[in-house]
Amino acid sequence: MKKITISAAFLLLFGVKHSNAQTKSFEFETDPTSFFTNGYNFNFGYSIPHWAIRLVPYKTELPEFIHGNKDFKQNMLGVAFDLDYFFKENNNGLFVGPVVIYSKDEIENSYKQKINNDQLLAGLRIGYRIMPFKKQRENLNGFYFTPFIAPFYSFANDVAFTNGNSFEYKQFQFWGGIHLGYRINTRYNSSNE
C-alpha cells in the first residue's frame, strides 16, 4: 500500500512539474449508485493535458449477483488510485488507464458471522468523458459525466468460516458505472477545445 501511495504521488508531482501545458484542473467526481448500496464514492483528481490522476476513497456493499456467493454479504471499505490517459489534449472524450484498488472487506455469512479480509485489485479503466454544455466545453470548466467499464484481477484469499462454508472471490471481475463530476480549470484557454 505504501509503495502504491508513493508511486501515485511521484506521478502526480512529475506531471505537475514537467507539464508545459496550458490547462490544469482539479476534478471532483462521485458514483451516485454507491449511495444506494450503503456506501459512498468520492474522486479527488488533478489533471494536465492528456493525463488525470485520482484518489478515490469508497465504501460499498456488493450485491450478491456481483460477488456470486449465495447467502453472503460483502462490504468493501477502501481506496483506489486511477491514472487516466485521454486521447484528446483537453481531457474530454475517450480515455484508458490503470487502476489499483485496496479494500478491507467484511464478509458476513447467513449465520451473521463476520470475517475481515484484505483484497487488492488491479485493472484497466476505459471510459468516455462528456461535458454536455458548450460553454463548459469551451472553458474546460464545469459539469461532466463519465461512463466507464473496468476489468480487474483480484489478489485475495478466499474466506473460510468455522461452520465449513466459504466465500470465494472471483479472480476476474468487471466493474462499471457513470460518474458525475465537476472540473475546476486553473487556467482559461478556449483554444484547447
Side-chain angles (χ1 to χ4, degrees), residues 52 98 110 143:
S110 58
F143 171 76

Side-chain angles (χ1 to χ4, degrees), residues 27-32 43 52 54 82 84 86 91-96 125-132 142-150 175-183:
E27 300 167 358
F28 304 94
E29 292 181 20
T30 190
D31 181 348
N43 270 263
R54 278 180 232 320
D82 304 345
D84 297 329
F86 287 84
N91 290 21
N92 285 329
L94 186 65
F95 67 86
V96 64
R125 196 166 87 112
I126 303 160
Y128 198 90
R129 177 181 288 173
I130 301 164
M131 296 189 85
F143 171 76
Y144 63 87
F145 60 97
T146 306
F148 73 96
I149 59 168
W175 292 11
I178 299 176
H179 283 185
L180 304 179
Y182 197 87
R183 185 175 183 182

Side-chain angles (χ1 to χ4, degrees), residues 25-191:
S25 61
F26 293 99
E27 300 167 358
F28 304 94
E29 292 181 20
T30 190
D31 181 348
T33 59
S34 295
F35 299 99
F36 297 104
T37 58
N38 300 319
Y40 54 82
N41 174 303
F42 298 105
N43 270 263
F44 302 99
Y46 183 78
S47 69
I48 58 175
H50 291 294
W51 294 98
I53 188 167
R54 278 180 232 320
L55 173 68
V56 187
Y58 73 93
K59 178 183 176 187
T60 189
E61 181 181 319
L62 284 187
E64 189 177 292
F65 75 90
I66 292 178
H67 65 65
N69 291 271
K70 190 173 188 289
D71 298 326
F72 282 92
K73 287 184 181 178
Q74 179 184 7
N75 290 298
M76 300 175 71
L77 177 64
V79 64
F81 296 97
D82 304 345
L83 180 63
D84 297 329
Y85 174 78
F86 287 84
F87 291 89
K88 291 183 180 177
E89 187 178 26
N90 65 9
N91 290 21
N92 285 329
L94 186 65
F95 67 86
V96 64
V99 181
V100 176
I101 298 174
Y102 170 77
S103 71
K104 190 68 123 171
D105 295 357
E106 181 185 80
I107 308 299
E108 181 180 334
N109 68 9
S110 58
Y111 301 101
K112 303 296 182 192
Q113 295 172 317
K114 296 178 183 179
I115 295 178
N116 290 324
N117 196 47
D118 293 332
Q119 180 178 200
L120 182 66
L121 297 136
L124 191 67
R125 196 166 87 112
I126 303 160
Y128 198 90
R129 177 181 288 173
I130 301 164
M131 296 189 85
F133 305 111
K134 183 179 178 186
K135 186 168 183 168
Q136 291 179 339
R137 279 194 308 273
E138 291 171 352
N139 297 340
L140 301 176
N141 196 57
F143 171 76
Y144 63 87
F145 60 97
T146 306
F148 73 96
I149 59 168
F152 285 99
Y153 183 83
S154 174
F155 301 91
N157 295 321
D158 294 342
V159 178
F161 286 84
T162 55
N163 66 351
N165 60 0
S166 63
F167 180 93
E168 297 178 1
Y169 282 93
K170 290 181 180 177
Q171 281 190 317
F172 294 97
Q173 302 178 20
F174 287 90
W175 292 11
I178 299 176
H179 283 185
L180 304 179
Y182 197 87
R183 185 175 183 182
I184 301 169
N185 189 352
T186 60
R187 288 191 178 173
Y188 174 77
N189 184 352
S190 63
S191 66

Side-chain angles (χ1 to χ4, degrees), residues 1-10 79 81 100 102 120:
M1 182 67 180
K2 186 177 179 183
K3 289 180 182 179
I4 294 169
T5 305
I6 292 169
S7 298
F10 175 75
V79 64
F81 296 97
V100 176
Y102 170 77
L120 182 66

